[in-house]
Amino acid sequence: MVDMDVESAEVDENERHATWLELFFDLIAVAGVSQLAHLLHGEPGARDFAYYAVLFCAFWMTWTCFTLYGNVAGDRTRIRILLAGMFGMAVMAAAVQGVHDGRHMQAFAVVYILMRILGSRVWQARGQVLLDWPTAQFTLGVIPWTLSVWVDAPARYWLWAAGIALDLWATFGMNGERFLERVQQRDAEKQRRQRARRDMGERDRGSHSRPARLSAAYSDPAHLGERLGLFVLIVLGEGVAQLVAASAATEWDWALYGLALGSFLLLVMLWSLSLRYGYGGVPGLAPRAFQTRTAMALHLLTAGALAAVAAGLGAAVEHRHGQLPPSVRLLLCVGFAVYVLIGAGVSMASHSTSWRSGLRSALPALALPLLIGAFGNGLPSVGVVWLLIPSVAWPQGWHTWRARASTTHP
């Protein structure tokens, strides 16, 4: 269970914190996550899961591009840039349901393209290359989205998935330092040719001012961790909102009381693992343990899994008097399994934990949701939720023990 007695780490007063503008910007993420979670309502099938995965990645990628811009720009952040990003993300959030039924597919794609281009142009205007997250300034993944505007479904969705895959490839396959070096070499060569033409008396038909040399930019880890954590907090808040909305629209009885209490305990323990024993909302992650691009990818998987869990808990309230539909049970169990697997792998890597210790913290927590998902056909909804609690309580207890051990034996 959650240990409220473990003291949190001291906060450096000199660290940057999210500004009011950034918090206002994150309100759009609240709306977006809510709309995305609704894609998994009812009895979702494979098509619904595919929609959710692609649209969640697109929305998260857009939010990340503008978040990193504010992270690096700091006090020099241009308000109109973030406001434009907010408006675009709001349109994307409003179009999610229309994408699902085919009404607003083009609108979602066009706005996503514009937001990614705007997110790339801000770095060109600043004369910087963000080495921590190359995808923020490279628009290779936008090409399939652009082609999709003139293509009908289902080919359109395959192009969207290809665009997301290209962005993920750029995240891990693109070397920012080498790119910066090549651009600087081209810039120096361009200036050399311009000087040669001037020496020969030719008119310089290029730019009348000296081209600005690109410089390297790096994210602020503490500030970025706070923003990523806020996004995960938004996702967990969506879980609470799902429970409240489902409970408000139904008759209150003992089945509802038991399911609501179990769901609330699950969300509290997920909050503790992600934000008290993690970094950026990723359970078990230590600051600076991985490269920023790796931490960002882990954040995407964590947030996506938690949003799926939130949708599953809301559906559990609707089916509290019977059994969960197989697809909803699978949604809950796979979401928990992905979350636990991320936490175990990250803990072993970032805390130099032995593989035996890592397996002790992961296997019991991972086995339970997988067994429930595969063999839980006869379980009632309330039973499924309460049986998932040990899968989160086990790593919670492991992290609590580790924190106390490090305090007793530094």
Side-chain angles (χ1 to χ4, degrees), residues 35-94:
Q35 292 299 312
L36 290 164
H38 277 76
L39 293 177
L40 302 176
H41 278 194
E43 298 185 20
R47 181 180 176 184
D48 299 307
F49 291 136
Y51 281 146
Y52 170 76
V54 172
L55 297 183
F56 189 93
C57 286
F59 190 85
W60 180 89
M61 198 76 68
T62 306
W63 177 85
T64 300
C65 289
F66 289 97
T67 295
L68 284 168
Y69 163 65
N71 175 270
V72 175
D75 295 338
R76 297 185 178 181
T77 300
R78 296 186 177 181
I79 295 178
R80 63 176 180 270
I81 297 295
L82 287 189
L83 292 179
M86 289 173 62
F87 182 78
M89 289 176 60
V91 174
M92 290 173 62

Side-chain angles (χ1 to χ4, degrees), residues 173-188:
M174 189 172 294
N175 190 304
E177 288 85 356
R178 292 179 183 175
F179 173 80
L180 176 60
E181 195 175 308
R182 289 196 298 268
V183 172
Q184 289 178 337
Q185 289 175 354
R186 288 199 298 265
D187 181 50

Side-chain angles (χ1 to χ4, degrees), residues 199-257:
D199 293 341
M200 297 174 62
E202 296 182 7
R203 181 179 179 182
D204 183 10
R205 296 182 181 180
S207 59
H208 295 283
S209 59
R210 182 176 178 176
R213 292 181 62 84
L214 293 175
S215 61
Y218 297 91
S219 60
D220 181 343
H223 178 263
L224 180 60
E226 181 183 24
R227 295 297 306 282
L228 296 177
L230 286 172
F231 189 94
V232 169
L233 196 62
I234 288 169
V235 175
L236 293 173
E238 175 59 24
V240 176
Q242 295 273 346
L243 290 174
V244 171
S247 300
T250 189
E251 188 70 24
W252 291 13
D253 52 23
W254 287 107
L256 177 63
Y257 300 152

Side-chain angles (χ1 to χ4, degrees), residues 92-153:
M92 290 173 62
V96 165
Q97 295 298 319
V99 171
H100 188 256
D101 59 25
R103 289 177 293 124
H104 302 313
M105 292 185 293
Q106 283 189 331
F108 187 93
V110 169
V111 175
Y112 175 73
I113 293 166
L114 293 176
M115 291 299 98
R116 289 299 306 278
I117 293 175
L118 176 61
S120 175
R121 290 292 178 88
V122 297
W123 298 104
Q124 297 178 17
R126 290 180 59 83
Q128 292 180 318
V129 173
L130 181 61
L131 302 186
D132 289 339
W133 183 254
T135 313
Q137 58 234 322
F138 299 115
T139 54
L140 181 64
V142 173
I143 296 176
W145 285 81
T146 304
L147 296 176
S148 74
V149 175
W150 294 279
V151 176
D152 295 328

